[in-house]
């Protein structure tokens, strides 16, 4: 039986600055294939899983670039749609001395925001064990409606739903409060991944109240990463933490997506529906091994430049885990 991970949302071009002029500005920019859901799809494929990507690309050279890189990585692209109505989204990435990144987005308008219900193939969910989305497909009303429809179709097929908040405030218009649109998706997700900063942003009424609110929905596993600091995990009946791997960060772009890709690749191996997550949490050593694997994927990605190009293989990940046991 196929155990596919379907990633829905944006694919875009990450332009990484190289060189510095006398004012500290990049002398030139190098394009890398990226976009959070697309990164996750590539991560899953590189790890040996079955990955598919659903989204819209511009009928431009950047769209050609992304489609070629998705296919080269082994990602299924039957659910990629092209349009001439808007260009492929762009992001210019700046890195500080510690390898932490900041973004300048050229979106909207962008092709990924024009994906509509009629673009969803009936066969898109065949063999799908996990659906993955993030908040960048909630920033405008039309694409948000499609995202919720994709989630409902995944539920009907008993697939697990993964949500990485991946908050980018610059992508939200002034009159659209992300909190109002993020919580309905959080309540529909079986697995949620947050950064420590995102958990703090959500926890306007305190962390305990936020967790209580989260458990009122479908969520069975929350994982909170914090860069070089310990990751925390939460379940309605348990919680814990694991140390992060100590590495020299080169480029943190895509590291969170690599973590999610590792996690979803492993969750796709589990038999059963969403209840399989409860069974995993009940076997604590197995859960910790899955989370260490995910963290190793993120660490390896952060030690390299790029997005798609930085995603590790399964062999690299397991070798890294053994070397850092």
């Amino acid at each position: 039986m196929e155990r596919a991970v379907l990633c829905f949302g944006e694919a875009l071009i990450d332009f990484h600055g190289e060189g510095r002029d006398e004012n500290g500005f990049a002398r030139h920019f190098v394009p890398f294939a990226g976009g959070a859901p697309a990164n996750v799809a590539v991560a899953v494929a590189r790890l040996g899983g079955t990955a598919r990507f659903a989204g819209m690309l511009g009928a431009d050279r950047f769209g050609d670039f992304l489609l070629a890189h998705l296919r080269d990585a082994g990602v299924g692209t039957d659910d990629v749609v092209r349009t001439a109505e808007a260009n492929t989204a762009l992001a210019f990435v700046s890195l500080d001395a510690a390898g932490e990144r900041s973004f300048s987005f050229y979106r909207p308008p962008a092709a990924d925001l024009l994906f509509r219900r009629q673009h969803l193939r009936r066969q898109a969910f065949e063999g799908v064990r996990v659906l993955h989305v993030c908040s960048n497909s909630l920033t405008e009303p039309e694409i948000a409606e499609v995202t919720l429809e994709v989630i409902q179709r995944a539920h009907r097929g008993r697939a697990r739903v993964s949500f990485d908040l991946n908050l980018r405030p610059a992508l939200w218009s002034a009159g659209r409060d992300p909190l109002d649109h993020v919580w309905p998706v959080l309540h529909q997700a079986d697995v949620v991944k947050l950064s420590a900063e995102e958990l703090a942003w959500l926890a306007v009424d305190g962390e305990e109240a936020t967790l209580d609110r989260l458990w009122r929905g479908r969520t069975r596993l929350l994982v909170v990463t914090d860069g070089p600091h310990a990751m925390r995990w939460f379940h309605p009946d348990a919680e814990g933490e694991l140390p992060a791997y100590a590495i020299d960060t080169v480029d943190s772009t895509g590291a969170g997506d690599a973590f999610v890709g590792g996690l979803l690749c492993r969750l796709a191996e589990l038999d059963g529906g969403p209840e399989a997550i409860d069974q995993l949490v009940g076997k604590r050593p197995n859960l910790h091994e899955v989370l260490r694997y995910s963290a190793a994927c993120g660490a390896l990605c952060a030690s390299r430049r790029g997005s798609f190009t930085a995603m590790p293989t399964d062999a690299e990940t397991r070798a890294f885990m053994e070397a850092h046991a």
Side-chain angles (χ1 to χ4, degrees), residues 2-319:
E2 192 172 13
R3 301 167 182 264
V5 177
L6 174 63
C7 300
F8 172 76
E10 84 277 7
L12 51 77
I13 304 296
D14 286 328
F15 279 100
H16 289 244
E18 290 195 350
R20 298 287 176 190
D21 65 15
E22 60 277 8
N23 296 311
F25 296 110
R27 291 190 178 277
H28 58 277
F29 287 88
V30 179
F32 289 87
N39 287 340
V40 173
V42 169
V44 171
R46 290 273 291 165
L47 292 168
T50 300
R52 304 178 197 162
F53 178 73
M56 184 168 281
L57 304 176
D60 52 24
R61 288 293 290 164
F62 291 133
D64 296 342
F65 181 86
L66 286 166
L67 188 60
H69 279 73
L70 284 166
R71 289 173 173 167
D72 287 348
V75 175
T77 58
D78 288 345
D79 297 288
V80 173
V81 185
R82 307 293 296 273
T83 181
E85 295 183 21
N87 291 329
T88 301
L90 309 178
F92 287 81
V93 183
S94 298
L95 299 175
D96 64 18
E100 290 299 324
R101 75 281 187 270
S102 58
F103 298 94
S104 295
F105 291 99
Y106 284 72
R107 173 190 186 263
D112 63 280
L113 297 172
L114 300 182
F115 195 99
R116 297 293 180 263
R117 293 184 183 189
Q118 62 266 27
H119 298 131
L120 277 173
R121 297 184 313 129
R122 183 183 305 171
Q123 308 94 318
F125 294 88
E126 292 179 358
V128 171
R129 186 62 62 88
V130 182
L131 167 73
H132 177 68
V133 299
C134 77
S135 70
N136 293 344
S137 60
L138 303 175
T139 57
E140 296 197 355
E142 295 83 358
I143 191 64
E145 288 180 9
V146 179
T147 303
L148 290 169
E149 172 67 20
V150 170
I151 290 171
Q152 291 305 314
R153 292 199 190 185
H155 286 165
R156 290 196 290 270
R158 284 188 52 77
R160 300 161 202 137
V161 174
S162 160
F163 180 55
D164 179 4
L165 180 54
N166 196 45
L167 183 66
R168 300 289 181 261
L171 297 179
W172 294 77
S173 60
R176 191 171 173 83
D177 186 349
L179 277 172
D180 294 338
H181 304 282
V182 162
W183 269 109
V185 178
L186 286 167
H187 278 149
Q188 294 298 316
D190 302 288
V191 178
V192 174
K193 187 269 182 189
L194 302 174
S195 68
E197 293 84 359
E198 289 165 346
L199 176 58
W201 174 80
L202 275 177
V204 291
D205 297 319
E207 187 173 293
E208 184 175 349
T210 300
L211 291 170
D212 288 342
R213 183 178 180 182
L214 185 64
W215 306 140
R216 292 176 210 156
R218 293 175 56 105
T219 306
R220 309 307 295 167
L221 179 64
L222 165 65
V223 182
V224 181
T225 58
D226 193 12
H229 307 293
M231 82 174 84
R232 303 164 69 196
W233 63 266
F234 302 86
H235 177 270
D237 300 320
E239 63 183 70
E241 67 176 47
L242 290 169
Y245 290 104
I247 60 161
D248 293 326
T249 300
V250 173
D251 181 355
S252 62
T253 309
D257 302 324
F259 180 100
V260 173
L263 178 61
L264 300 189
C265 194
R266 299 297 300 276
L267 292 183
E269 298 171 355
L270 302 179
D271 291 324
E275 71 280 356
I277 297 171
D278 290 331
Q279 297 166 7
L280 176 65
V281 173
K283 298 177 181 177
R284 206 59 50 81
N286 292 355
L287 172 66
H288 287 177
E289 192 274 333
V290 168
L291 292 177
R292 283 196 296 268
Y293 182 89
S294 308
C297 293
L300 277 167
C301 179
S303 69
R304 305 167 175 176
R305 290 200 63 207
S307 300
F308 286 15
T309 54
M311 299 301 166
T313 65
D314 178 70
E316 289 172 330
T317 302
R318 294 187 184 278

